[in-house]
Amino acid sequence: MTGRFSTCALALLLFCCSSDSFDPSTLPDPRDPEFIKLCVETHNTLRSRVDPPASNMLWMSWDPDLAKTAKAWAKKCLFKHNIYLKERGKVHPKFAFAGENIWTGSASAFNVKGALSAWYSEVEFYDYETNKCSRVCGHYTQVVWATSYKVGCAVHFCPTVQYISIRNAAHFICNYGPPGNYPVQPYKTGAACSECGGETCTMTMCQNEERDKVVGKYHWNYCFLLLPLLHLYLKTSELFCLQRIPGGSQSGTGPRVMSSASPLLL
């Protein structure tokens, strides 16, 4: 009896350790070359698969500043979109606005390809001819938005995520510039690269060496990323922005708490 009890206790201990503990360092850093390569390659592979085919699909390349924005927002562990996406110049030094996709699920189950494939899988709910969705498909349309040519992604470990019940989560965010999801179709149909204007055609996408350079303004800080200790150096508008940002607990209204054991998309 004692032996059976010990075995059960050990099994319970192992279960608790495996379900409630996770080493955050196993999640990739947004500056990791392999992580960057995987994010860019997977996006471009998915963009090259659109059906009907695209005539104006731009090659997508990495943007360090979009990745910084993604990381800064992911660290807040909120299952809601960055509130500054549609405020001109608040999330990027070049793009006035930015697009955003979010995947939140168990940290132990996270991988870049899986998250991006989950967004792309919404293609089954999208009708190109009518430009309508039978269910949520905005993640798919952003991934394949022809004129979104820069992407920056980051993942952060969150013991808890506000508004959802997933614990020990990988909170994965990709930001896009310029943003997509305007009330038009995500790309034009036609022969691959036929509207590239003489640019190189790579994997059925328009590639431009100058446009695809990886450039980041590393001295640039967004209002919601700046530390409160720097408030004396901030402009009034930046300080206001900093004070408005949601923290770990919000007194205002927000999305309802959702319960799910599966990854959630936003």
Side-chain angles (χ1 to χ4, degrees), residues 205-227:
M205 289 172 284
C206 312
Q207 191 168 20
N208 180 296
E209 184 176 338
E210 187 63 28
R211 183 178 60 232
D212 298 333
K213 284 182 178 178
V214 177
V215 179
K217 295 184 181 296
Y218 293 100
H219 63 279
W220 177 74
N221 289 303
Y222 349 92
C223 55
F224 66 90
L225 184 58
L226 292 169
L227 299 174

PDB file of all heavy atoms in Angstrom, residues 205-227:
ATOM      1  N   MET A 205       6.817  36.372 -55.717  1.00  0.00           N
ATOM      2  CA  MET A 205       6.661  37.654 -55.035  1.00  0.00           C
ATOM      3  C   MET A 205       7.665  38.670 -55.553  1.00  0.00           C
ATOM      4  O   MET A 205       8.740  38.315 -56.053  1.00  0.00           O
ATOM      5  CB  MET A 205       6.832  37.472 -53.521  1.00  0.00           C
ATOM      6  CG  MET A 205       5.681  36.730 -52.864  1.00  0.00           C
ATOM      7  SD  MET A 205       6.013  36.318 -51.140  1.00  0.00           S
ATOM      8  CE  MET A 205       7.133  34.928 -51.342  1.00  0.00           C
ATOM      9  N   CYS A 206       7.315  39.939 -55.432  1.00  0.00           N
ATOM     10  CA  CYS A 206       8.158  41.032 -55.908  1.00  0.00           C
ATOM     11  C   CYS A 206       9.225  41.364 -54.863  1.00  0.00           C
ATOM     12  O   CYS A 206       8.899  41.767 -53.748  1.00  0.00           O
ATOM     13  CB  CYS A 206       7.320  42.280 -56.170  1.00  0.00           C
ATOM     14  SG  CYS A 206       5.810  41.990 -57.138  1.00  0.00           S
ATOM     15  N   GLN A 207      10.479  41.214 -55.244  1.00  0.00           N
ATOM     16  CA  GLN A 207      11.574  41.464 -54.309  1.00  0.00           C
ATOM     17  C   GLN A 207      12.409  42.643 -54.774  1.00  0.00           C
ATOM     18  O   GLN A 207      12.764  42.758 -55.950  1.00  0.00           O
ATOM     19  CB  GLN A 207      12.448  40.218 -54.159  1.00  0.00           C
ATOM     20  CG  GLN A 207      13.442  40.304 -53.014  1.00  0.00           C
ATOM     21  CD  GLN A 207      14.096  38.959 -52.709  1.00  0.00           C
ATOM     22  OE1 GLN A 207      14.099  38.052 -53.549  1.00  0.00           O
ATOM     23  NE2 GLN A 207      14.636  38.815 -51.509  1.00  0.00           N
ATOM     24  N   ASN A 208      12.713  43.541 -53.826  1.00  0.00           N
ATOM     25  CA  ASN A 208      13.478  44.747 -54.106  1.00  0.00           C
ATOM     26  C   ASN A 208      14.572  44.869 -53.054  1.00  0.00           C
ATOM     27  O   ASN A 208      14.298  44.966 -51.856  1.00  0.00           O
ATOM     28  CB  ASN A 208      12.556  45.968 -54.070  1.00  0.00           C
ATOM     29  CG  ASN A 208      13.275  47.272 -54.352  1.00  0.00           C
ATOM     30  OD1 ASN A 208      14.146  47.679 -53.600  1.00  0.00           O
ATOM     31  ND2 ASN A 208      12.904  47.936 -55.438  1.00  0.00           N
ATOM     32  N   GLU A 209      15.818  44.871 -53.508  1.00  0.00           N
ATOM     33  CA  GLU A 209      16.952  44.853 -52.585  1.00  0.00           C
ATOM     34  C   GLU A 209      16.938  46.037 -51.626  1.00  0.00           C
ATOM     35  O   GLU A 209      17.226  45.895 -50.434  1.00  0.00           O
ATOM     36  CB  GLU A 209      18.260  44.844 -53.377  1.00  0.00           C
ATOM     37  CG  GLU A 209      19.500  44.725 -52.515  1.00  0.00           C
ATOM     38  CD  GLU A 209      20.764  44.629 -53.356  1.00  0.00           C
ATOM     39  OE1 GLU A 209      20.674  44.237 -54.532  1.00  0.00           O
ATOM     40  OE2 GLU A 209      21.850  44.946 -52.818  1.00  0.00           O
ATOM     41  N   GLU A 210      16.599  47.195 -52.119  1.00  0.00           N
ATOM     42  CA  GLU A 210      16.591  48.389 -51.272  1.00  0.00           C
ATOM     43  C   GLU A 210      15.447  48.321 -50.254  1.00  0.00           C
ATOM     44  O   GLU A 210      15.639  48.598 -49.063  1.00  0.00           O
ATOM     45  CB  GLU A 210      16.434  49.640 -52.142  1.00  0.00           C
ATOM     46  CG  GLU A 210      16.588  50.956 -51.391  1.00  0.00           C
ATOM     47  CD  GLU A 210      17.969  51.154 -50.795  1.00  0.00           C
ATOM     48  OE1 GLU A 210      18.957  50.606 -51.348  1.00  0.00           O
ATOM     49  OE2 GLU A 210      18.066  51.859 -49.768  1.00  0.00           O
ATOM     50  N   ARG A 211      14.267  47.956 -50.710  1.00  0.00           N
ATOM     51  CA  ARG A 211      13.106  47.884 -49.823  1.00  0.00           C
ATOM     52  C   ARG A 211      13.271  46.800 -48.762  1.00  0.00           C
ATOM     53  O   ARG A 211      12.772  46.935 -47.628  1.00  0.00           O
ATOM     54  CB  ARG A 211      11.854  47.599 -50.658  1.00  0.00           C
ATOM     55  CG  ARG A 211      10.559  47.582 -49.852  1.00  0.00           C
ATOM     56  CD  ARG A 211       9.348  47.343 -50.733  1.00  0.00           C
ATOM     57  NE  ARG A 211       9.399  46.078 -51.442  1.00  0.00           N
ATOM     58  CZ  ARG A 211       9.231  45.926 -52.746  1.00  0.00           C
ATOM     59  NH1 ARG A 211       9.003  46.969 -53.510  1.00  0.00           N
ATOM     60  NH2 ARG A 211       9.299  44.727 -53.314  1.00  0.00           N
ATOM     61  N   ASP A 212      13.978  45.738 -49.111  1.00  0.00           N
ATOM     62  CA  ASP A 212      14.083  44.593 -48.220  1.00  0.00           C
ATOM     63  C   ASP A 212      15.279  44.649 -47.273  1.00  0.00           C
ATOM     64  O   ASP A 212      15.533  43.694 -46.535  1.00  0.00           O
ATOM     65  CB  ASP A 212      14.134  43.300 -49.042  1.00  0.00           C
ATOM     66  CG  ASP A 212      12.866  43.095 -49.857  1.00  0.00           C
ATOM     67  OD1 ASP A 212      11.811  43.606 -49.426  1.00  0.00           O
ATOM     68  OD2 ASP A 212      12.921  42.458 -50.919  1.00  0.00           O
ATOM     69  N   LYS A 213      16.015  45.756 -47.261  1.00  0.00           N
ATOM     70  CA  LYS A 213      17.108  45.903 -46.307  1.00  0.00           C
ATOM     71  C   LYS A 213      16.561  45.850 -44.885  1.00  0.00           C
ATOM     72  O   LYS A 213      15.486  46.372 -44.597  1.00  0.00           O
ATOM     73  CB  LYS A 213      17.838  47.227 -46.518  1.00  0.00           C
ATOM     74  CG  LYS A 213      18.765  47.259 -47.721  1.00  0.00           C
ATOM     75  CD  LYS A 213      19.479  48.598 -47.804  1.00  0.00           C
ATOM     76  CE  LYS A 213      20.447  48.630 -48.984  1.00  0.00           C
ATOM     77  NZ  LYS A 213      21.120  49.962 -49.094  1.00  0.00           N
ATOM     78  N   VAL A 214      17.319  45.221 -44.004  1.00  0.00           N
ATOM     79  CA  VAL A 214      16.915  45.158 -42.601  1.00  0.00           C
ATOM     80  C   VAL A 214      17.540  46.348 -41.885  1.00  0.00           C
ATOM     81  O   VAL A 214      18.745  46.411 -41.666  1.00  0.00           O
ATOM     82  CB  VAL A 214      17.374  43.844 -41.948  1.00  0.00           C
ATOM     83  CG1 VAL A 214      17.012  43.831 -40.463  1.00  0.00           C
ATOM     84  CG2 VAL A 214      16.738  42.658 -42.660  1.00  0.00           C
ATOM     85  N   VAL A 215      16.696  47.304 -41.548  1.00  0.00           N
ATOM     86  CA  VAL A 215      17.159  48.542 -40.902  1.00  0.00           C
ATOM     87  C   VAL A 215      16.315  48.799 -39.672  1.00  0.00           C
ATOM     88  O   VAL A 215      15.093  48.710 -39.708  1.00  0.00           O
ATOM     89  CB  VAL A 215      17.030  49.753 -41.860  1.00  0.00           C
ATOM     90  CG1 VAL A 215      17.489  51.025 -41.164  1.00  0.00           C
ATOM     91  CG2 VAL A 215      17.825  49.512 -43.135  1.00  0.00           C
ATOM     92  N   GLY A 216      16.979  49.103 -38.566  1.00  0.00           N
ATOM     93  CA  GLY A 216      16.264  49.409 -37.334  1.00  0.00           C
ATOM     94  C   GLY A 216      16.828  50.640 -36.670  1.00  0.00           C
ATOM     95  O   GLY A 216      18.046  50.836 -36.648  1.00  0.00           O
ATOM     96  N   LYS A 217      15.967  51.494 -36.170  1.00  0.00           N
ATOM     97  CA  LYS A 217      16.398  52.681 -35.439  1.00  0.00           C
ATOM     98  C   LYS A 217      16.469  52.301 -33.968  1.00  0.00           C
ATOM     99  O   LYS A 217      15.522  52.506 -33.206  1.00  0.00           O
ATOM    100  CB  LYS A 217      15.417  53.838 -35.670  1.00  0.00           C
ATOM    101  CG  LYS A 217      15.370  54.313 -37.107  1.00  0.00           C
ATOM    102  CD  LYS A 217      14.455  55.507 -37.256  1.00  0.00           C
ATOM    103  CE  LYS A 217      14.386  55.978 -38.710  1.00  0.00           C
ATOM    104  NZ  LYS A 217      15.674  56.458 -39.205  1.00  0.00           N
ATOM    105  N   TYR A 218      17.598  51.746 -33.544  1.00  0.00           N
ATOM    106  CA  TYR A 218      17.697  51.179 -32.211  1.00  0.00           C
ATOM    107  C   TYR A 218      17.643  52.225 -31.100  1.00  0.00           C
ATOM    108  O   TYR A 218      17.427  51.901 -29.944  1.00  0.00           O
ATOM    109  CB  TYR A 218      18.991  50.369 -32.106  1.00  0.00           C
ATOM    110  CG  TYR A 218      18.972  49.143 -32.970  1.00  0.00           C
ATOM    111  CD1 TYR A 218      19.615  49.127 -34.208  1.00  0.00           C
ATOM    112  CD2 TYR A 218      18.276  48.001 -32.587  1.00  0.00           C
ATOM    113  CE1 TYR A 218      19.578  48.007 -35.033  1.00  0.00           C
ATOM    114  CE2 TYR A 218      18.231  46.874 -33.400  1.00  0.00           C
ATOM    115  CZ  TYR A 218      18.888  46.891 -34.611  1.00  0.00           C
ATOM    116  OH  TYR A 218      18.834  45.788 -35.408  1.00  0.00           O
ATOM    117  N   HIS A 219      17.834  53.500 -31.440  1.00  0.00           N
ATOM    118  CA  HIS A 219      17.739  54.543 -30.419  1.00  0.00           C
ATOM    119  C   HIS A 219      16.301  54.981 -30.197  1.00  0.00           C
ATOM    120  O   HIS A 219      16.002  55.737 -29.291  1.00  0.00           O
ATOM    121  CB  HIS A 219      18.559  55.760 -30.842  1.00  0.00           C
ATOM    122  CG  HIS A 219      18.060  56.394 -32.105  1.00  0.00           C
ATOM    123  ND1 HIS A 219      18.373  55.893 -33.350  1.00  0.00           N
ATOM    124  CD2 HIS A 219      17.233  57.454 -32.328  1.00  0.00           C
ATOM    125  CE1 HIS A 219      17.786  56.646 -34.289  1.00  0.00           C
ATOM    126  NE2 HIS A 219      17.083  57.588 -33.678  1.00  0.00           N
ATOM    127  N   TRP A 220      15.413  54.490 -31.074  1.00  0.00           N
ATOM    128  CA  TRP A 220      14.021  54.942 -31.024  1.00  0.00           C
ATOM    129  C   TRP A 220      13.238  54.188 -29.957  1.00  0.00           C
ATOM    130  O   TRP A 220      13.336  52.987 -29.825  1.00  0.00           O
ATOM    131  CB  TRP A 220      13.377  54.715 -32.385  1.00  0.00           C
ATOM    132  CG  TRP A 220      11.929  55.073 -32.453  1.00  0.00           C
ATOM    133  CD1 TRP A 220      11.393  56.323 -32.488  1.00  0.00           C
ATOM    134  CD2 TRP A 220      10.825  54.172 -32.481  1.00  0.00           C
ATOM    135  NE1 TRP A 220      10.021  56.252 -32.544  1.00  0.00           N
ATOM    136  CE2 TRP A 220       9.642  54.949 -32.550  1.00  0.00           C
ATOM    137  CE3 TRP A 220      10.714  52.785 -32.474  1.00  0.00           C
ATOM    138  CZ2 TRP A 220       8.381  54.388 -32.601  1.00  0.00           C
ATOM    139  CZ3 TRP A 220       9.446  52.216 -32.521  1.00  0.00           C
ATOM    140  CH2 TRP A 220       8.296  53.029 -32.579  1.00  0.00           C
ATOM    141  N   ASN A 221      12.487  54.909 -29.130  1.00  0.00           N
ATOM    142  CA  ASN A 221      11.648  54.299 -28.102  1.00  0.00           C
ATOM    143  C   ASN A 221      10.216  54.759 -28.275  1.00  0.00           C
ATOM    144  O   ASN A 221       9.957  55.931 -28.516  1.00  0.00           O
ATOM    145  CB  ASN A 221      12.124  54.686 -26.696  1.00  0.00           C
ATOM    146  CG  ASN A 221      13.424  54.028 -26.340  1.00  0.00           C
ATOM    147  OD1 ASN A 221      13.524  52.818 -26.367  1.00  0.00           O
ATOM    148  ND2 ASN A 221      14.440  54.821 -26.026  1.00  0.00           N
ATOM    149  N   TYR A 222       9.287  53.827 -28.130  1.00  0.00           N
ATOM    150  CA  TYR A 222       7.885  54.177 -28.244  1.00  0.00           C
ATOM    151  C   TYR A 222       7.390  54.615 -26.882  1.00  0.00           C
ATOM    152  O   TYR A 222       7.926  54.251 -25.863  1.00  0.00           O
ATOM    153  CB  TYR A 222       7.041  52.982 -28.705  1.00  0.00           C
ATOM    154  CG  TYR A 222       7.860  51.825 -29.170  1.00  0.00           C
ATOM    155  CD1 TYR A 222       8.228  50.830 -28.294  1.00  0.00           C
ATOM    156  CD2 TYR A 222       8.309  51.784 -30.483  1.00  0.00           C
ATOM    157  CE1 TYR A 222       9.021  49.784 -28.723  1.00  0.00           C
ATOM    158  CE2 TYR A 222       9.088  50.743 -30.911  1.00  0.00           C
ATOM    159  CZ  TYR A 222       9.441  49.744 -30.029  1.00  0.00           C
ATOM    160  OH  TYR A 222      10.225  48.715 -30.442  1.00  0.00           O
ATOM    161  N   CYS A 223       6.307  55.349 -26.874  1.00  0.00           N
ATOM    162  CA  CYS A 223       5.787  55.890 -25.622  1.00  0.00           C
ATOM    163  C   CYS A 223       5.473  54.791 -24.620  1.00  0.00           C
ATOM    164  O   CYS A 223       5.700  54.954 -23.437  1.00  0.00           O
ATOM    165  CB  CYS A 223       4.552  56.735 -25.888  1.00  0.00           C
ATOM    166  SG  CYS A 223       3.268  55.861 -26.800  1.00  0.00           S
ATOM    167  N   PHE A 224       4.969  53.637 -25.088  1.00  0.00           N
ATOM    168  CA  PHE A 224       4.573  52.622 -24.127  1.00  0.00           C
ATOM    169  C   PHE A 224       5.736  51.747 -23.694  1.00  0.00           C
ATOM    170  O   PHE A 224       5.607  50.906 -22.831  1.00  0.00           O
ATOM    171  CB  PHE A 224       3.433  51.751 -24.678  1.00  0.00           C
ATOM    172  CG  PHE A 224       3.789  50.895 -25.857  1.00  0.00           C
ATOM    173  CD1 PHE A 224       4.261  49.617 -25.691  1.00  0.00           C
ATOM    174  CD2 PHE A 224       3.616  51.386 -27.132  1.00  0.00           C
ATOM    175  CE1 PHE A 224       4.560  48.830 -26.765  1.00  0.00           C
ATOM    176  CE2 PHE A 224       3.922  50.592 -28.226  1.00  0.00           C
ATOM    177  CZ  PHE A 224       4.401  49.321 -28.042  1.00  0.00           C
ATOM    178  N   LEU A 225       6.917  51.946 -24.275  1.00  0.00           N
ATOM    179  CA  LEU A 225       8.077  51.145 -23.907  1.00  0.00           C
ATOM    180  C   LEU A 225       8.981  51.890 -22.934  1.00  0.00           C
ATOM    181  O   LEU A 225       9.737  51.300 -22.189  1.00  0.00           O
ATOM    182  CB  LEU A 225       8.869  50.777 -25.168  1.00  0.00           C
ATOM    183  CG  LEU A 225      10.072  49.849 -25.014  1.00  0.00           C
ATOM    184  CD1 LEU A 225       9.636  48.528 -24.377  1.00  0.00           C
ATOM    185  CD2 LEU A 225      10.708  49.588 -26.355  1.00  0.00           C
ATOM    186  N   LEU A 226       8.906  53.201 -22.919  1.00  0.00           N
ATOM    187  CA  LEU A 226       9.777  54.004 -22.069  1.00  0.00           C
ATOM    188  C   LEU A 226       9.529  53.724 -20.597  1.00  0.00           C
ATOM    189  O   LEU A 226       8.412  53.508 -20.162  1.00  0.00           O
ATOM    190  CB  LEU A 226       9.548  55.497 -22.358  1.00  0.00           C
ATOM    191  CG  LEU A 226      10.012  55.967 -23.739  1.00  0.00           C
ATOM    192  CD1 LEU A 226       9.484  57.363 -24.007  1.00  0.00           C
ATOM    193  CD2 LEU A 226      11.525  55.956 -23.817  1.00  0.00           C
ATOM    194  N   LEU A 227      10.586  53.791 -19.813  1.00  0.00           N
ATOM    195  CA  LEU A 227      10.476  53.546 -18.385  1.00  0.00           C
ATOM    196  C   LEU A 227       9.959  54.782 -17.657  1.00  0.00           C
ATOM    197  O   LEU A 227      10.317  55.903 -17.998  1.00  0.00           O
ATOM    198  CB  LEU A 227      11.848  53.165 -17.816  1.00  0.00           C
ATOM    199  CG  LEU A 227      12.473  51.893 -18.389  1.00  0.00           C
ATOM    200  CD1 LEU A 227      13.887  51.727 -17.854  1.00  0.00           C
ATOM    201  CD2 LEU A 227      11.636  50.690 -18.026  1.00  0.00           C
TER     202      LEU A 227
END
